[in-house]
Amino acid sequence: MKKRIFINIHYLEIGGAERALLGLLAALDPEKVDVDLFVNQHTGEFMSLIPDYVNLLPEVPEYTCIERPIKDIVKEGHLFLAFRRILAKYKHSQYLKTLSENEKAHDASVFQYVMDEVDASLPSLFHLGEYDLAISFLQPHNTVLHKVKAKKKVCWIHTDYSTIHVNHDKELPLWMGYDYVASISDDCTTTFLQTFPELSDKIVLIENILSPLFVRQQADMDDVSSEMPSNEGEVKILTIGRYSAQKKIEGIPHICAEMEKMGVNFKWYIIGYGPDKLIQEALDKYKMRHRMVLLGKKTNPYPYIKACDIYAQPSVYEGKSVTVREAQMLKKPVVITDYPTAKSQIKDGIDGIIVPLDEIETAKGIVGLINDKELQSRIVEYLSANDFGNETEVDKIYSLMA
């Protein structure tokens, strides 16, 4: 008899965690499991990529109200939920007064405040029956813990906890309620346990599941030469990421300016979305519009990775970047900044390079790679000889139900 799995995620916008979920869904065997996927809001470009065997559960109106603009949910008559979100904002503002300036600058606790306040107003999902395993793929992890009936429950860590501040006492009961806490890397585990040492016996390592075959098939689907033309002597660099403080896209124009001073010919392409005010200001400040191209959102980023010469991820922090691994699968030399978990992602000088987390030093590192053709060849040769796939990680999911 097949096992039943329930999975919850907020939405399926373009992002690393969302792509990791698609990797997990693709790896699960429909002959072994029945999968119900509960997406709070049926929004995002990745909705169309949900495998056919997955049962996408219908939207529940109350769950769509968790993150949408308050004015919209008021218009729809969800007045109590709107009130609870306003109350959460107030309580969070009071909590912020107790923090240092550094903690405030890195605070990510607001999401838990919102979820705790709206939790009681969200309907139970017990009518779906009992599952063998229920998975909460993105925090806050209230829904699977409180609204779903399952023999075992697991929630995921996708971030580097050394780079964010959370309200330990408020979150701990949620994490403690799960049978397992899945971490995507040893470094993520280390930083998470620095915040939540009480959870050490619940941790299981389950890396983001990625398929080289899928990535390569997707990379061949579209011709992007009109958007990323090959000009003689011009190096094409690509970065993918939401426009957020974490990804530091607004720092790239400065990097470009430094690279231009060093005499290299290049074009730096960005696939991403979000508020771009800081990026636009930096482009004007450094006069780099001729070097940096914003391509916007792309449902299928793989042809763009295939078309680039170097993939760069100049982030402030990452859990374990899905896109970096995908670029390696497409045999692209990768440059990442030395964020806390960088060494769990790249073997410096072997399958990519790690550069200091500083715009000028990042520029020097990228230019050094561009000029060192022998190093590029060694990296590509190593990437060609290694698969970088890890579909067998799915066996760890099955073992949680044993």
Side-chain angles (χ1 to χ4, degrees):
M1 189 173 183
K2 288 197 285 186
K3 301 285 188 178
R4 298 185 71 217
I5 298 177
F6 176 98
I7 304 176
N8 175 230
I9 195 167
H10 305 183
Y11 38 70
L12 283 175
E13 299 285 353
I14 296 172
E18 290 82 358
R19 280 211 299 282
L21 174 60
L22 291 176
L24 169 60
L25 293 175
L28 288 167
D29 185 351
E31 296 296 319
K32 294 181 178 179
V33 294
D34 288 322
V35 179
D36 284 354
L37 177 63
F38 183 63
V39 183
N40 293 354
Q41 296 172 229
H42 287 193
T43 58
E45 288 77 4
F46 286 170
M47 288 294 297
S48 63
L49 300 181
I50 298 170
D52 291 339
Y53 87 90
V54 173
N55 177 34
L56 176 63
L57 295 168
E59 277 188 339
V60 175
E62 291 85 352
Y63 284 86
T64 70
C65 297
I66 297 170
E67 295 181 68
R68 287 192 295 128
I70 291 177
K71 63 179 182 180
D72 291 348
I73 67 175
V74 167
K75 288 178 182 177
E76 295 169 10
H78 299 288
L79 301 181
F80 190 65
L81 272 165
F83 167 75
R84 302 303 300 185
R85 283 183 53 183
I86 293 169
L87 181 60
K89 186 176 181 180
Y90 169 75
K91 288 185 177 180
H92 180 250
S93 70
Q94 297 303 110
Y95 172 67
L96 287 179
K97 293 178 182 178
T98 69
L99 304 183
S100 68
E101 289 305 314
N102 182 60
E103 288 172 330
K104 287 179 186 177
H106 298 92
D107 181 67
S109 64
V110 63
F111 306 107
Q112 193 62 58
Y113 273 83
V114 170
M115 199 64 202
D116 284 355
E117 287 301 322
V118 302
D119 197 335
S121 302
L122 302 176
S124 168
L125 302 175
F126 280 18
H127 64 279
L128 298 171
E130 184 178 47
Y131 293 88
D132 295 285
L133 181 68
I135 297 171
S136 180
F137 208 71
L138 270 180
Q139 66 187 98
H141 296 302
N142 299 56
T143 296
V144 166
L145 184 61
H146 296 152
K147 308 297 181 180
V148 179
K149 188 176 182 182
K151 295 173 183 174
K152 298 287 184 181
K153 297 183 179 182
V154 57
C155 56
W156 243 260
I157 310 167
H158 289 282
T159 195
D160 172 9
Y161 268 71
S162 70
T163 61
I164 62 172
H165 170 81
V166 296
N167 185 331
H168 169 277
D169 293 345
K170 194 168 185 59
E171 286 198 13
L172 181 61
L174 271 296
W175 297 100
M176 289 294 292
Y178 280 83
D179 298 288
Y180 308 102
V181 176
S183 173
I184 61 173
S185 74
D186 289 332
D187 281 351
C188 280
T189 298
T190 298
T191 60
F192 178 77
L193 292 180
Q194 287 169 357
T195 301
F196 295 104
E198 305 93 336
L199 297 167
S200 60
D201 62 341
K202 292 182 180 288
I203 296 286
V204 291
L205 177 66
I206 304 177
E207 294 187 358
N208 290 326
I209 299 174
L210 302 172
S211 165
L213 177 62
F214 171 79
V215 169
R216 290 164 192 156
Q217 287 174 338
Q218 291 292 306
D220 290 333
M221 286 188 68
D222 299 308
D223 177 7
V224 299
S225 57
S226 62
E227 294 177 276
M228 291 180 67
S230 295
N231 299 317
E232 187 174 355
E234 183 180 82
V235 177
K236 292 180 287 186
I237 303 169
L238 178 67
T239 295
I240 300 174
R242 291 187 177 111
Y243 302 159
S244 64
Q246 173 192 353
K247 302 297 183 182
K248 199 72 183 299
I249 306 296
E250 69 273 14
I252 294 177
H254 185 189
I255 299 171
C256 290
E258 296 297 327
M259 291 175 60
E260 190 171 72
K261 289 178 189 175
M262 296 176 204
V264 295
N265 183 20
F266 68 95
K267 191 83 55 115
W268 196 320
Y269 297 89
I270 311 294
I271 292 176
Y273 64 97
D276 67 351
K277 181 174 182 290
L278 292 177
I279 299 170
Q280 299 295 344
E281 289 175 350
L283 281 168
D284 290 335
K285 177 180 178 180
Y286 293 102
K287 299 180 173 58
M288 283 294 117
R289 292 190 180 275
H290 64 297
R291 292 292 184 190
M292 184 170 157
V293 179
L294 301 178
L295 294 172
K297 273 187 176 184
K298 301 295 177 183
T299 303
N300 181 6
Y302 304 111
Y304 299 87
I305 299 175
K306 182 181 178 182
C308 78
D309 299 302
I310 292 172
Y311 183 83
Q313 196 75 57
S315 301
V316 177
Y317 65 91
E318 295 280 349
K320 193 163 188 177
S321 173
V322 171
T323 314
V324 166
R325 183 50 53 87
E326 291 168 336
Q328 291 175 316
M329 290 176 178
L330 292 172
K331 304 177 180 59
K332 299 299 174 178
V334 170
V335 179
I336 65 173
T337 41
D338 195 13
Y339 44 78
T341 60
K343 290 176 179 62
S344 71
Q345 180 101 60
I346 291 286
K347 290 178 280 191
D348 188 28
I350 297 175
D351 60 358
I353 67 169
I354 301 174
V355 297
L357 219 170
D358 169 87
E359 281 86 356
I360 296 174
E361 294 302 318
T362 297
K364 290 178 181 177
I366 295 175
V367 170
L369 178 62
I370 290 171
N371 292 331
D372 193 338
K373 302 302 181 186
E374 184 180 337
L375 175 58
Q376 287 186 50
S377 295
R378 286 203 312 270
I379 291 173
V380 171
E381 188 176 321
Y382 182 89
L383 296 175
S384 300
N386 290 272
D387 189 280
F388 289 97
N390 63 347
E391 293 96 328
T392 57
E393 287 290 288
V394 77
D395 292 336
K396 296 179 181 179
I397 300 292
Y398 300 141
S399 70
L400 299 183
M401 297 183 286

